[in-house]
Amino acid sequence: MFEQLQDLPPDGLLALIKLYRDDARPEKIDLGVGVYRDSDGGTPVFRGVKKAEHRLHETQDSKSYLGPEGDLGFVAALRPYIFGQGDAFGDRLRGVQTPGGTGAVRLACETLAKAGATKVLLGTPSWPNHAPIIQATGMEPVTFTHADIATETLDFDALLTAMKAAEAGDVVLLHGCCHNPTGIDYDLNQWAQIADLVAERGLFPLIDLAYQGLGAGFEEDAEGLRKVLAAAPESMLAYSCDKNFGLYRERVGALYAISKTDDQAATLFSHLLSNARANWSMPPDHGAATVRVILTDDEFRREWDAEVAEMRARLNRMRAALAQHGTIGTVDLAAVGEQNGLFSTLNLNKDQVMALRKSHGIYMAASGRINVAGLNERNIPHFVEALRSIA
Ligand SMILES: Cc1ncc(COP(=O)(O)O)c(C=O)c1O
């Protein structure tokens, strides 16, 4: 059986972790791995998470099965953050817990494919797992340029053109905020235009929201996508709590689906459960239970909110510090100051990326994607100097 299989290339970012670890140079900088770092380069467990885990430990009296829907208390507690306090969707909106945002995207695509969707509009570059998930569920990614890396600008016309060329029922996959890997998001006016086109063309929005709170704030990061959800009779939203609660390996996510009617929502919910069951039976409990404890306790919630605010402020500080250096060679650092979230993609070719690694100990993805959280006040001068030397 397995003699038919060919070797697949190793995951580039995982290989980068090892290379970085083995580099003895003290001035080395890791801009590769996609997790938040504090100014000391650590990814510590949130204080609020520790406290909530402690409470769970004290109070949880059973590890018995929950069900394919996971922790519905968690799903409900998260809802107002995404859809707004007292949203207008009522029982048309249903949600299930999933193993991370990845599980949510997978469940969304699988369910859409089974419902008859065949094409997904996908702006590129995108999170590298989007296209494989779309394909694995039997759909076709229809790509358009999300942003032009050479000029660090959004190609909004490419999205509009793709949407105008799409057929009713085609899915349009949109990053809710803090686009991975470019950091280039839509403004509110653009979100409004997307909402109008979604309604006019009968497209199905699938929003991927993996970094809420890391851009401008929880409400601000959801404002644009809410316009699309309000304009579309049906939609889905895949959510990850892995970044904004720092729970990465606990695999915490949720998939929300909005249907035209309460009855359709109940039917769709039964399909979400059935598809979840055939994939992972039920999602892992611990991380989502921790999030539920945080969001339903005023003190824990305030503490967590303050921690996310710290992260956001640090990311924006690093972006502002880079932006001061303007343009260096092909890289427009001023544009990085306008972008959001953990990632930006710099206009560097593979030789330049390799030169930064070999000559300066600066590690980033071959695409030029940097994790802004890998920077701090101490290493930015080295980073900027290195960019100058390879420009
Ligand atoms: C855009 C996007 N969607 C989904 C995910 C998946 O998140 P999770 O780790 O919760 O599966 C990521 C993670 O990097 C992401 O960047």
Side-chain angles (χ1 to χ4, degrees), residues 100-102 127 130 175 180 208 210-211 240 242-243 251-252:
T102 308
W127 178 49
H130 276 147
H175 294 233
N180 178 9
D208 185 355
Y211 300 92
S240 172
D242 289 325
K243 329 286 163 152
R251 316 302 306 127
V252 191

Side-chain angles (χ1 to χ4, degrees), residues 34-35 98-105 126-130 133 174-181 208-211 238-243 247-249 251-254 342-343 369:
V35 299
T98 55
T102 308
V105 174
S126 195
W127 178 49
N129 227 354
H130 276 147
I133 292 175
L174 301 163
H175 294 233
C177 69
C178 305
H179 185 273
N180 178 9
D208 185 355
L209 188 55
Y211 300 92
Y239 196 89
S240 172
C241 295
D242 289 325
K243 329 286 163 152
L247 281 163
Y248 312 93
R249 68 175 73 159
R251 316 302 306 127
V252 191
L342 272 188
F343 305 113
R369 186 192 85 163

Side-chain angles (χ1 to χ4, degrees), residues 233-269:
E234 302 175 306
S235 56
M236 284 184 178
L237 185 141
Y239 196 89
S240 172
C241 295
D242 289 325
K243 329 286 163 152
N244 57 11
F245 287 82
L247 281 163
Y248 312 93
R249 68 175 73 159
E250 299 291 357
R251 316 302 306 127
V252 191
L255 177 65
Y256 293 86
I258 298 172
S259 304
K260 285 182 189 148
T261 65
D262 294 359
D263 281 352
Q264 276 182 19
T267 305
L268 176 60
F269 189 67

Side-chain angles (χ1 to χ4, degrees), residues 111-345:
T111 307
L112 286 166
K114 285 186 176 168
T118 57
K119 291 188 179 144
V120 182
L121 303 192
L122 177 67
T124 57
S126 195
W127 178 49
N129 227 354
H130 276 147
I133 292 175
I134 292 164
Q135 282 158 340
T137 54
M139 294 193 289
E140 180 197 341
V142 179
T143 58
F144 61 91
T145 304
H146 169 70
D148 177 22
I149 301 305
T151 56
E152 292 285 327
T153 48
L154 177 73
D155 192 344
F156 192 57
D157 283 344
L159 169 64
L160 297 183
T161 305
M163 289 174 80
K164 284 175 189 159
E167 287 169 24
D170 286 351
V171 178
V172 54
L173 173 52
L174 301 163
H175 294 233
C177 69
C178 305
H179 185 273
N180 178 9
T182 66
I184 299 175
D185 291 331
Y186 310 117
D187 63 27
L188 288 179
N189 174 35
Q190 287 162 334
W191 276 111
Q193 289 182 62
I194 297 169
D196 286 348
L197 255 186
V198 157
E200 194 182 307
R201 305 287 308 167
L203 305 179
F204 186 100
L206 167 57
I207 313 277
D208 185 355
L209 188 55
Y211 300 92
Q212 191 185 15
L214 298 189
F218 275 90
E219 277 298 298
E220 294 85 342
D221 290 351
E223 224 179 320
L225 68 91
R226 285 182 194 160
K227 291 184 192 294
V228 176
L229 299 180
E234 302 175 306
S235 56
M236 284 184 178
L237 185 141
Y239 196 89
S240 172
C241 295
D242 289 325
K243 329 286 163 152
N244 57 11
F245 287 82
L247 281 163
Y248 312 93
R249 68 175 73 159
E250 299 291 357
R251 316 302 306 127
V252 191
L255 177 65
Y256 293 86
I258 298 172
S259 304
K260 285 182 189 148
T261 65
D262 294 359
D263 281 352
Q264 276 182 19
T267 305
L268 176 60
F269 189 67
S270 72
H271 284 260
L272 294 178
L273 298 187
S274 160
N275 293 337
R277 190 142 186 80
N279 273 304
W280 45 75
S281 184
M282 58 197 67
D285 176 64
H286 178 78
T290 303
V291 170
R292 170 176 46 74
V293 170
I294 292 173
L295 294 182
T296 53
D297 179 289
D298 279 348
E299 186 199 321
F300 292 174
R301 192 171 39 75
R302 272 197 299 274
E303 183 145 14
W304 159 74
D305 204 31
E307 289 183 88
V308 180
E310 268 172 45
M311 292 165 74
R312 181 168 62 237
R314 195 179 110 60
L315 288 171
N316 290 333
R317 239 182 6 256
M318 292 307 102
R319 288 186 177 281
L322 286 180
Q324 283 183 0
H325 296 278
T327 301
I328 301 179
T330 53
V331 176
D332 180 0
L333 289 178
V336 172
E338 305 295 314
Q339 298 163 1
N340 302 312
L342 272 188
F343 305 113
S344 281
T345 299

